[in-house]
Amino acid sequence: MSTGFELFTDRNVVAMRVNGELKDLAATTTDTDTVEPVTIDSPDGLNILRHSAAHVMAQAVQSINPEAKLGIGPPVTDGFYYDFDVAEPFQPEDLKAIEKAMDRIIRQGQRFQRRVVTDAEARAELADEPYKLELIGLKGAGDSHSDDNESVEVGGAELTIYDNVDGKTGEVYWKDLCRGPHLPNTRMIGNGWSLVRNAAAYWRGSEKNKQLQRIYGTAWPTKDELREYQERQAEAAKRDHRKLGKELDLFSFPEEIGSGLSVWHPRGGIVRGEIEQHARKRHQEGGYTYVYTPHITKADLFITSNHLVTYKEGMFPPIRMDEEVDDEGNVTKQGVDYYLKPMNCPMHILIYKERGRSYRDLPMRLAENGTVYRNELSGALHGLTRVRGFTQDDSHLFVTPEQLEDEVAKVLDFVISMLRDFGLEDFELELSLKDDEKDKWIGSDEFWEYSTNALRHVAQRTGLKLTEVPGEAAFYGPKIDLKTKDAIGRTWQLSTVQVDVNLPERFELEFTDKDGTKQRPIMIHRALFGSIERFFAILLEHYAGQFPVWLSPVQVVGIPVAEAYEDYLGDVIRQLRDAGVRAELDASSERMQKKIRTHTTMKVPFQLIAGEEDAKNGSVSFRFRDGTQENGVPIPDAIARITTAIADHAQV
RNA sequence: GCCGCCCUAGCUCAGUCGGUAGAGCAUCUCACUCGUAAUGAGAAGGUCAAGAGUUCGAUUCUCUUGGGCGGCUCCA
């Protein structure tokens, strides 16, 4: 018998795994146990650090406000939070006071002491903590959601309370219902932590429940790592597409139009146009046909598709047409309701249905940049990534069951190679499956098995990292989602490929097979960028506004050293424009240094400068985004260099 | 939608313990004609988000509405 303290003397060890289970170092082990150390910088160790910091924060809050009732306090990515039920929401000044109190607790070196309790004991000790009592009740009811945040409190096989006690006297300062494990001592939290913000959050994540006040913090093994984290946050803030969109004059959301509805300025329009043109060309090469469909439709269409049942809250309210009302307000002629479309699929289906289809018509690949409108909750809106009107690069493929696997494989290859064209490189896949829950899924077991296997084979063949997530499929079929990592390591979900037998069924789609029988096609829903607005925002952040040359709104700006060289440099700019380059001459009366500054902040990839020297030699001088320069480049070479960079989608 | 915070010139922000406002940049004018990140001078620009209330008086206090930000929920 020995404790973790005896087994591991390394100060970086904060807990241990005993036969695979995380335990406090104070726990005892036997010779037959498999015991592994958990260091503070490991994923488990970080969680323990952060969860322990959450406890200290809760103790600090209750030391300041004994009336604060405890919610839950789990670790999350990069940090932790704790929820409190308090009469008055926290203010920024409160966070400072809480940090001070936390600092005292940490310096005090309180020990975390684990204690097993019965249900009755826990209820008695936590009589003043209604939310904890509710959690105890849940556990009693055999609730076994083992991976949610609540399990941090009551997820173990037995109920445990952690006491925070004085390192020397053993006096109990505070206690909390908790599964553990914890750091041995609050001092190990060190100084690599900080409170980040406070916000409201619904108790147990349901908007039907009361809102609690949540305080978020971040915690790291060292102060240096905290600083690095803060720098990463600052870098992300610098790249924020909402900020760059304003600075680079790309798009805006005029209040007069309404929230979540974007307008695209000339510069943003150029970038978006390049994205769309490139995608269009690739789609046409890939056997897709572009179609156009209207923005509004009579209700019938979305009743048939069932969207007006399952998705009604997500849709804008109807526009009533042709209704006539007399002076008393009685309806004398029935009107018709029109809806803004939240999806394009039913419209594409109607194109399919316009005439009888043969197996020879399949696969049929319809593509559209279809603008859809969704009544998103106002609080959910966020820049261009979450809006009320957006354009999906939507495709619907109609295939025979036999074609499904091949076609999905093609689609996935297509998606990946297209995203590579835009400079994204790091991908992984998520295969969403059905689970055992009854009633949630439609379609036969055979269909699910067949289509799931098809998607799995295809996904595996890409060689990309693949995660399978049971229960995440659409109710009508499995799907593959593609995620990408941007330049600063953030993950974005982009493309989705979904198999659907539901809509073909609802709309009674058919094709005539070789043997003359009528068969039902399978539909594949495919969004590549997801939403063009959102994809644009992701690229903008990925490149921090420094788009590769082909996407840059202005590719070249000519800056004459003095007015006398405007004609000379203007001629070079004209040649570039003739070659299809977006080149401009800055003939304003500013000084050249000022112009360089202006166009550098606008992130123009090539600045061409010419004065006496270059005019004499028939050359120009390059200044690049990073401030480096290359002087005396002969004009033809300069033009070739620029056009090549555009054609190659090069970053400069 | 919910909770909290916020909205002052085109932009970024000061400011007014209630007596109707200021800077820098951008814009316009003039002078300077200049070789790699801001030339100088001057001018113009604001019903302090909108509406209502309290007050002798509101940009400032209160309420309502709109918009934004951070979360929750939701999601392309």
Side-chain angles (χ1 to χ4, degrees):
Chain A
M1 296 270 282
S2 48
T3 69
F5 292 117
E6 291 155 353
L7 292 171
F8 309 109
T9 51
D10 181 348
R11 308 214 25 127
N12 280 321
V13 176
V14 293
M16 56 188 174
R17 264 188 188 281
V18 181
N19 303 324
E21 206 179 317
L22 284 172
K23 298 250 179 168
D24 294 313
L25 287 179
T28 50
T29 63
T30 64
D31 293 344
T32 54
D33 289 328
T34 314
V35 186
E36 303 156 274
V38 173
T39 58
I40 194 162
D41 53 357
S42 67
D44 285 333
L46 283 171
N47 277 343
I48 291 168
L49 163 70
R50 288 163 182 165
H51 182 50
S52 298
H55 269 231
V56 168
M57 178 169 77
Q59 183 185 156
V61 167
Q62 288 197 321
S63 75
I64 294 168
N65 177 6
E67 296 305 307
K69 302 300 177 202
L70 300 175
I72 60 170
V76 291
T77 310
D78 297 337
F80 59 91
Y81 67 78
Y82 215 114
D83 290 341
F84 304 94
D85 187 356
V86 283
E88 293 297 321
F90 297 107
Q91 299 296 320
E93 311 84 74
D94 298 334
L95 295 197
K96 292 262 180 306
I98 295 165
E99 282 188 333
K100 268 213 178 103
M102 287 176 68
D103 199 47
R104 262 200 305 278
I105 295 164
I106 290 166
R107 282 171 198 280
Q108 217 176 3
Q110 298 180 11
R111 290 204 312 268
F112 287 91
Q113 248 169 31
R114 181 175 188 271
R115 169 160 65 88
V116 178
V117 291
T118 64
D119 262 33
E121 286 165 346
R123 282 173 198 281
E125 289 196 39
L126 298 166
D128 288 341
E129 294 289 356
Y131 300 97
K132 297 294 182 188
L133 292 178
E134 190 177 331
L135 294 179
I136 296 169
L138 282 181
K139 183 187 163 64
D143 197 286
S144 64
H145 293 291
S146 57
D147 57 346
D148 60 21
N149 287 330
E150 290 143 18
S151 69
V152 168
E153 324 288 322
V154 293
E158 48 197 1
L159 275 183
T160 51
I161 284 179
Y162 273 78
D163 294 319
N164 276 83
V165 307
D166 191 287
K168 296 194 187 80
T169 66
E171 183 191 345
V172 177
Y173 291 114
W174 192 74
K175 64 186 167 191
D176 191 10
L177 181 71
C178 185
R179 178 186 60 180
H182 276 288
L183 301 176
N185 190 297
T186 57
R187 199 172 288 127
M188 295 183 72
I189 294 170
N191 57 5
W193 60 274
S194 163
L195 296 187
V196 176
R197 67 171 65 92
N198 68 296
Y202 296 104
W203 168 238
R204 301 190 60 221
S206 167
E207 56 185 333
K208 295 194 180 66
N209 290 339
K210 179 163 187 179
Q211 278 196 329
L212 306 181
Q213 292 298 315
R214 174 172 297 179
I215 302 178
Y216 282 94
T218 184
W220 302 85
T222 64
K223 184 114 192 165
D224 283 347
E225 283 160 281
L226 171 67
R227 286 224 183 83
E228 283 165 28
Y229 166 75
Q230 288 167 333
E231 275 159 28
R232 282 199 300 278
Q233 296 297 104
E235 176 60 33
K238 238 172 25 192
R239 290 168 178 253
D240 190 314
H241 73 276
R242 294 167 300 182
K243 182 169 170 283
L244 290 172
K246 190 171 272 179
E247 288 170 0
L248 302 179
D249 194 15
L250 301 171
F251 58 86
S252 59
F253 292 90
E255 193 181 321
E256 295 85 338
I257 295 180
S259 57
L261 299 167
S262 60
V263 295
W264 291 65
H265 302 186
R267 287 167 170 270
I270 289 171
V271 183
R272 178 173 174 162
E274 286 288 344
I275 294 172
E276 289 173 354
Q277 275 171 41
H278 181 73
R280 177 173 290 260
K281 182 167 150 277
R282 293 280 327 261
H283 274 83
Q284 283 161 347
E285 289 164 3
Y288 291 76
T289 328
Y290 273 89
V291 298
Y292 296 87
T293 63
H295 290 210
I296 64 173
T297 170
K298 286 191 287 190
D300 289 15
L301 184 65
F302 284 111
I303 288 169
T304 306
S305 72
N306 214 33
H307 284 118
L308 265 172
V309 178
T310 59
Y311 196 73
K312 193 164 197 288
E313 334 71 70
M315 293 173 66
F316 273 75
I319 303 162
R320 182 147 300 169
M321 293 284 290
D322 298 328
E323 183 175 88
E324 286 174 17
V325 185
D326 65 19
D327 294 343
E328 274 86 59
N330 301 309
V331 175
T332 55
K333 185 186 166 198
Q334 196 74 48
V336 184
D337 282 348
Y338 279 76
Y339 283 87
L340 288 166
K341 67 174 170 182
M343 320 249 172
N344 302 300
C345 358
M347 304 235 181
H348 291 184
I349 285 172
L350 294 184
I351 293 171
Y352 180 98
K353 270 191 88 164
E354 248 329 277
R355 47 170 291 188
R357 300 292 175 185
S358 144
Y359 72 94
R360 297 175 201 273
D361 295 325
L362 307 184
M364 185 164 149
R365 308 181 186 94
L366 302 183
E368 178 177 13
N369 291 330
T371 303
V372 296
Y373 297 90
R374 298 184 183 177
N375 186 15
E376 298 292 341
L377 294 179
S378 58
L381 301 174
H382 182 91
L384 283 176
T385 61
R386 196 73 189 281
V387 290
R388 288 201 171 134
F390 63 98
T391 305
Q392 292 182 311
D393 64 325
D394 211 357
S395 287
H396 294 98
L397 300 91
F398 301 89
V399 300
T400 69
E402 301 76 55
Q403 291 168 336
L404 180 67
E405 184 167 332
D406 275 356
E407 197 57 30
V408 170
K410 259 192 195 165
V411 167
L412 206 53
D413 286 347
F414 181 74
V415 162
I416 291 167
S417 94
M418 177 88 83
L419 294 176
R420 289 214 163 101
D421 289 348
F422 287 91
L424 298 169
E425 291 293 340
D426 198 342
F427 306 113
E428 53 184 81
L429 301 177
E430 210 168 83
L431 175 59
S432 296
L433 314 168
K434 89 182 180 92
D435 58 17
D436 295 333
E437 207 172 307
K438 295 271 183 259
D439 306 332
K440 190 170 166 187
W441 318 102
I442 63 159
S444 67
D445 289 348
E446 292 74 44
F447 157 72
W448 278 94
E449 195 184 329
Y450 173 75
S451 57
T452 302
N453 282 336
L455 293 194
R456 184 178 287 126
H457 292 154
V458 168
Q460 285 168 345
R461 243 179 282 152
T462 63
L464 298 174
K465 184 182 168 217
L466 175 66
T467 317
E468 300 201 357
V469 274
E472 282 300 303
F475 70 90
Y476 49 72
K479 62 172 179 173
I480 298 176
D481 290 325
L482 180 140
K483 297 179 173 195
T484 188
K485 263 205 186 114
D486 72 9
I488 57 171
R490 293 171 304 178
T491 303
W492 300 88
Q493 203 219 292
L494 285 177
S495 320
T496 178
V497 180
Q498 308 187 5
V499 179
D500 182 5
V501 289
N502 172 50
L503 285 177
E505 188 80 33
R506 298 193 79 92
F507 282 90
E508 300 177 324
L509 298 188
E510 290 183 331
F511 67 90
T512 308
D513 212 345
K514 289 172 193 154
D515 59 6
T517 58
K518 300 287 188 193
Q519 301 294 333
R520 185 136 291 163
I522 296 177
M523 240 179 119
I524 303 170
H525 302 256
R526 188 238 61 182
L528 199 160
F529 303 140
S531 125
I532 294 175
E533 288 79 357
R534 184 167 171 276
F535 183 69
F536 175 90
I538 292 166
L539 281 187
L540 185 54
E541 299 202 1
H542 176 65
Y543 288 118
Q546 306 202 343
F547 286 112
V549 192
W550 72 290
L551 289 173
S552 293
V554 176
Q555 294 166 322
V556 178
V557 66
I559 301 174
V561 167
E563 203 177 329
Y565 311 105
E566 277 175 13
D567 286 347
Y568 173 75
L569 191 54
D571 189 55
V572 179
I573 297 299
R574 211 167 305 119
Q575 290 180 52
L576 282 165
R577 293 175 78 102
D578 288 347
V581 179
R582 291 187 291 272
E584 291 173 2
L585 180 72
D586 186 346
S588 67
S589 63
E590 298 294 344
R591 285 167 145 64
M592 69 165 293
Q593 285 87 342
K594 178 64 175 297
K595 295 182 185 180
I596 287 169
R597 181 185 148 79
T598 302
H599 298 111
T600 302
T601 55
M602 291 307 278
K603 305 186 194 293
V604 176
F606 295 116
Q607 295 183 25
L608 288 188
I609 296 166
E612 179 59 30
E613 254 174 72
D614 279 312
K616 208 169 57 198
N617 300 332
S619 63
V620 290
S621 297
F622 277 90
R623 183 186 162 101
F624 302 99
R625 275 170 172 155
D626 63 359
T628 58
Q629 44 181 297
E630 205 172 313
N631 297 336
V633 180
I635 291 169
D637 294 359
I639 293 173
R641 180 159 178 172
I642 291 163
T643 51
T644 306
I646 293 168
D648 294 349
H649 291 194
Q651 178 62 294
V652 296

